[in-house]
Amino acid sequence: MNNFKKIGLSALAGSLVAVSAQAAEISMSGGASVAFSSGDDKGKTTYYQNDSITFKVSGETDGGLSITTSLELDGDASGGAGGDFDSQSLTIGHDTLGTVIFSAHGGSTVMGGFDDMMPTAYEEVWAMTTGNVAINGAGTGNDLWRYNSPALIPGLTAHVAYSSQNTTANSNAYMDFGVKYAPEMLEGLTLGYAAGEVDEVPAANGTEVNGIDESTMFVTYATGPFTVGYQTSEADGPTTTQDDDSTSWAVSYAITDDLSVSYGEHELDLGSSTSDQESEGFSASYTMGGTSIKAAFNETTSVAGVNGTDRESMEIALV
């Protein structure tokens, strides 16, 4: 049995070396952007610019597997291993078998990718506000395995993600799955559903506390210049303070090929609070040549369920 394993591993290693020596492609990408934003209760204005470069090495084996290693070099000292790298991933894909991704850092769970599917010209309506809360998108993007299927039937794809608690990067074990469906007979319609379970941090005696179940489902419909959407999410924990749910809706309008605007609302009912967090926002995006100007203006009341904690936020970016 061990000999067969060694032979298999040797064959795989030889295949990867062949990719590196014969078919590897190296690319580097980045961007130039600058933005200023204000989103806290003290009215502070902050400025930031793009400070990351992504390096990719990719190739294809004789068996049709595409293999890509991606490393993002980020100026943020708090990101990545040793403060040098942010997103780090290895992607292995096949046209008929789907794609497997391992993210050492900065990956996306299925729920994380489906956290807000509402149409917007720029940012989500609950974004940029200091202290805001969103119940979906649980799980960590570190030491994360994810599988994305090819089309199971026309327009239907499935997705699964898993991260283990037995790693230094994660405090929670997590697993989720989701599906997205864009039926061919109803052009412009997209449906999605995802569900996941996150286990809380183990107690001091080593036993695990009961997990929290989360789910989200959404529908969007695009017709002409308009796109509308509706989404509902919920979290179900072992106590009533961990039972939360949210609803959101939004509409976007492409005035021209270069100019788009959007408006949306989001309401979050926190089981631990008597006040609902309510957000609304307006976004716009204008593209001229290879440059875009994007802006978002949001307002949130009862931030994190605290009655009377109302904040406004904005961001304007040149990308």
Side-chain angles (χ1 to χ4, degrees), residues 101-112:
I101 305 170
F102 173 73
S103 298
H105 182 78
S108 175
T109 63
V110 182
M111 286 285 293

Side-chain angles (χ1 to χ4, degrees), residues 44-98:
K44 293 181 179 179
T45 298
T46 58
Y47 300 85
Y48 65 89
Q49 70 178 74
N50 181 285
D51 63 351
S52 67
I53 299 175
T54 300
F55 299 88
K56 290 185 178 181
V57 180
S58 59
E60 186 172 328
T61 67
D62 294 338
L65 290 177
S66 62
I67 302 177
T68 300
T69 295
S70 177
L71 299 173
E72 181 186 7
L73 182 64
D74 197 324
D76 183 1
S78 64
D84 295 326
F85 291 111
D86 195 350
S87 298
Q88 307 172 51
S89 64
L90 173 66
T91 302
I92 302 175
H94 191 278
D95 290 342
T96 57
L97 299 179

Side-chain angles (χ1 to χ4, degrees), residues 227-309:
T227 302
V228 296
Y230 177 81
Q231 184 165 2
T232 179
S233 307
E234 66 177 17
D236 184 12
T239 65
T240 56
T241 60
Q242 296 169 316
D243 293 340
D244 309 326
D245 60 79
S246 70
T247 57
S248 57
W249 69 269
V251 57
S252 66
Y253 177 60
I255 300 173
T256 67
D257 291 340
D258 301 321
L259 177 61
S260 297
V261 295
S262 65
Y263 175 81
E265 296 183 0
H266 176 270
E267 181 176 349
L268 174 61
D269 180 4
L270 293 164
S272 58
S273 174
T274 57
S275 299
D276 294 345
Q277 174 183 285
E278 298 181 355
S279 303
E280 61 178 335
F282 170 82
S283 292
S285 175
Y286 177 69
T287 301
M288 180 175 56
T291 303
S292 296
I293 300 175
K294 299 183 178 183
F297 305 89
N298 296 343
E299 180 179 356
T300 299
T301 59
S302 299
V303 175
V306 179
N307 187 32
T309 305

Side-chain angles (χ1 to χ4, degrees), residues 153-174:
I153 60 174
L156 177 65
T157 57
H159 314 269
V160 180
Y162 171 77
S163 62
S164 172
Q165 195 171 36
N166 299 320
T167 62
T168 58
N170 298 328
S171 59
N172 298 331
Y174 180 79

Side-chain angles (χ1 to χ4, degrees), residues 12 48 51-52 62 93 116 124 133 144 155 207 214 225 311:
L12 176 59
Y48 65 89
D51 63 351
S52 67
D62 294 338
D116 192 320
E124 299 94 338
V133 178
L144 175 74
T207 61
E214 297 193 338
R311 295 172 183 169

Side-chain angles (χ1 to χ4, degrees), residues 186-210:
L186 293 173
E187 185 176 356
L189 179 67
T190 302
L191 306 170
Y193 174 82
E197 181 179 0
V198 55
D199 291 326
E200 295 186 7
V201 180
N205 60 5
T207 61
E208 292 188 1
V209 182
N210 291 332

